[in-house]
Amino acid sequence: MDKRVIFAVAGSGKTTLLTERLTERSRTLILTHTVNNERHLRTKVISRFGFLPDGIRIMTWFEFLHGFCTRPLLQLQLGTRGLSFEQPRLKLPRSHRLHFQDKAGRIYHNRLSLLLMYRQMMPAIRARIERYFDELLIDEVQDFAGHDFNFLLELCAAKVSVLLAGDFYQHTFDTSRDGNTNGTLHEDINRYEARFRAAGLMPDRERLSKTWRCSQTVCTFISSYLNIGIEAHSLHATLIETVSDRGRAAALHQDNGVIKLFYREHHRYGCYSMNWGASKGLDHFQDVCIVLGSSHWTLFTSQTLSTLPAASRNKLYVACSRARGNITFVPETLMRPFRT
């Protein structure tokens, strides 16, 4: 059975690749991390068929872990009462119930996959996958971390076709964290790829290596300034410009046709805006305005943005790669008068 992981670049057609392999008769489980991604995938499938075929299930990661895995297999045994998104406070051995659950019986979300593995539920979970589905598709695989990543690799051993897809450099948050578990997972793409290969999945860096969304101008900027390799299918040029006067900044602030992307706290600026990382997965922006804080602006003007910490660099990559058209960079100091 074909088992592979595709490393995609932003705007390369990852969602299209996942959904176009489906038919009305597919028996397919599609998993992704966030509610927004789940909604986007569901919309794409429905727009293709006009409805959601009975054999296709689209679920968020924790919906899958809790609803498909834990409740049928462990709820009666453990008396679980949902999930807790608090961090475990007590240092207890895994044999102790409170290592995995709070006093109200809620399972700690960041130890849910560990609980299933600790209770040796993986054979039963794989059997459930094999019973109901012929293939497993995972979207935004770069966001799986902590115990969830170990669980995912074990899940992929199920006797079904497996396709994982994601962009290593769009890793902006983790499904969960628990101490040092897989704490260095996203530090090196070659070591990351090796983890999949060791689990029997064939890595593919070529199929989705070019973007349909961004111009060659934007791709060259990302490659040169952020040291993240990306190429465009189209060679058309767009503009990348900077704003240095208050009048132009004020006009951009009022322009609801251009999204303003802030590093954080976008809601405080009273305009059509989002945070860099939160724009991930969105594909409908033409021109974008990226607001840089003082330290980011210094690195930008000195062409040393690639020295940003990985988390910040990845979020900026997400922001830049939203643009189908032009990118305008503005220092946050020019937007500060509008901040509340």
Side-chain angles (χ1 to χ4, degrees):
M1 292 181 179
D2 187 45
K3 296 179 186 287
R4 66 181 59 241
V5 54
I6 295 181
F7 293 92
V9 300
S12 58
K14 174 172 58 62
T15 303
T16 299
L17 174 71
L18 293 176
T19 56
E20 285 194 347
R21 65 189 286 125
L22 303 173
T23 70
E24 291 186 20
R25 296 182 179 180
S26 291
R27 298 172 72 244
T28 302
L29 174 61
I30 307 176
L31 301 177
T32 190
H33 180 194
T34 67
V35 172
N36 284 340
N37 287 341
E38 186 268 345
R39 186 182 299 118
H40 179 58
L41 285 163
R42 187 179 299 274
T43 299
K44 291 282 286 188
V45 173
I46 292 174
S47 68
R48 181 176 177 197
F49 298 111
F51 61 98
L52 184 64
D54 291 338
I56 299 173
R57 293 289 305 276
I58 306 171
M59 306 173 76
T60 64
W61 180 240
F62 288 108
E63 180 185 2
F64 167 73
L65 285 180
H66 187 246
F68 186 87
C69 303
T70 307
R71 290 186 65 187
L73 299 173
L74 289 177
Q75 184 171 22
L76 290 178
Q77 181 181 348
L78 299 181
T80 61
R81 301 184 62 185
L83 295 182
S84 169
F85 286 87
E86 300 292 330
Q87 291 296 314
R89 297 181 181 179
L90 301 175
K91 294 184 178 180
L92 296 168
R94 292 180 181 179
S95 58
H96 198 293
R97 182 182 70 86
L98 294 181
H99 180 85
F100 294 104
Q101 298 174 255
D102 64 16
K103 293 180 180 179
R106 294 183 294 263
I107 304 173
Y108 293 116
H109 80 287
N110 61 338
R111 290 181 178 169
L112 179 54
S113 55
L114 176 63
L115 172 63
L116 291 162
M117 290 186 287
Y118 177 72
R119 290 280 179 166
Q120 299 182 352
M121 292 292 107
M122 294 310 302
I125 293 169
R126 288 192 291 263
R128 281 177 58 78
I129 294 287
E130 293 161 7
R131 177 181 179 183
Y132 295 111
F133 304 106
D134 297 321
E135 65 177 349
L136 171 65
L137 308 181
I138 307 288
D139 188 31
E140 304 290 3
V141 70
Q142 76 281 348
D143 290 332
F144 288 76
H147 301 297
D148 295 334
F149 185 78
N150 296 336
F151 182 99
L152 178 62
L153 294 185
E154 289 201 32
L155 186 68
C156 290
K159 296 176 182 177
V160 297
S161 297
V162 176
L163 177 61
L164 282 57
D167 184 346
F168 178 80
Y169 295 105
Q170 287 195 67
H171 170 244
T172 56
F173 48 77
D174 298 331
T175 52
S176 69
R177 297 177 183 174
D178 189 12
N180 294 324
T181 301
N182 283 321
T184 61
L185 179 65
H186 295 94
E187 287 186 356
D188 182 89
I189 190 171
N190 294 313
R191 293 201 304 269
Y192 182 71
E193 179 183 298
R195 292 287 300 275
F196 291 105
R197 195 182 295 276
L201 289 108
M202 178 63 66
D204 182 345
R205 295 197 196 185
E206 297 300 321
R207 186 166 182 177
L208 296 181
S209 62
K210 292 186 177 183
T211 180
W212 295 99
R213 180 192 304 141
C214 303
S215 68
Q216 186 59 49
T217 307
V218 171
C219 290
T220 299
F221 175 86
I222 292 172
S223 299
S224 301
Y225 276 70
L226 301 180
N227 197 27
I228 295 175
I230 182 172
E231 297 181 13
H233 282 285
S234 171
L235 298 180
H236 77 282
T238 55
L239 294 176
I240 295 180
E241 57 181 339
T242 60
V243 169
S244 56
D245 65 275
R246 294 188 181 277
R248 178 75 191 286
L252 278 169
H253 179 268
Q254 294 297 317
D255 187 350
N256 289 331
V258 177
I259 185 74
K260 270 67 67 177
L261 299 177
F262 292 81
Y263 178 63
R264 59 188 174 195
E265 296 185 330
H266 75 95
H267 59 278
R268 300 188 62 180
Y269 293 85
C271 60
Y272 174 43
S273 64
M274 298 184 74
N275 289 337
W276 294 354
S279 65
K280 182 166 65 174
L282 300 180
D283 189 45
H284 60 280
F285 303 124
Q286 182 64 26
D287 299 335
V288 302
C289 171
I290 299 177
V291 183
L292 300 174
S294 57
S295 60
H296 299 144
W297 186 260
T298 298
L299 295 176
F300 171 69
T301 54
S302 62
Q303 299 187 22
T304 54
L305 281 171
S306 61
T307 63
L308 281 168
S312 297
R313 183 187 64 163
N314 291 353
K315 289 178 182 178
L316 183 54
Y317 164 51
V318 168
C320 292
S321 60
R322 296 314 93 191
R324 290 181 171 275
N326 305 325
I327 298 179
T328 303
F329 289 98
V330 180
E332 193 274 337
T333 51
L334 295 182
M335 290 289 181
R336 200 168 295 165
F338 310 107
R339 178 170 169 150
T340 58

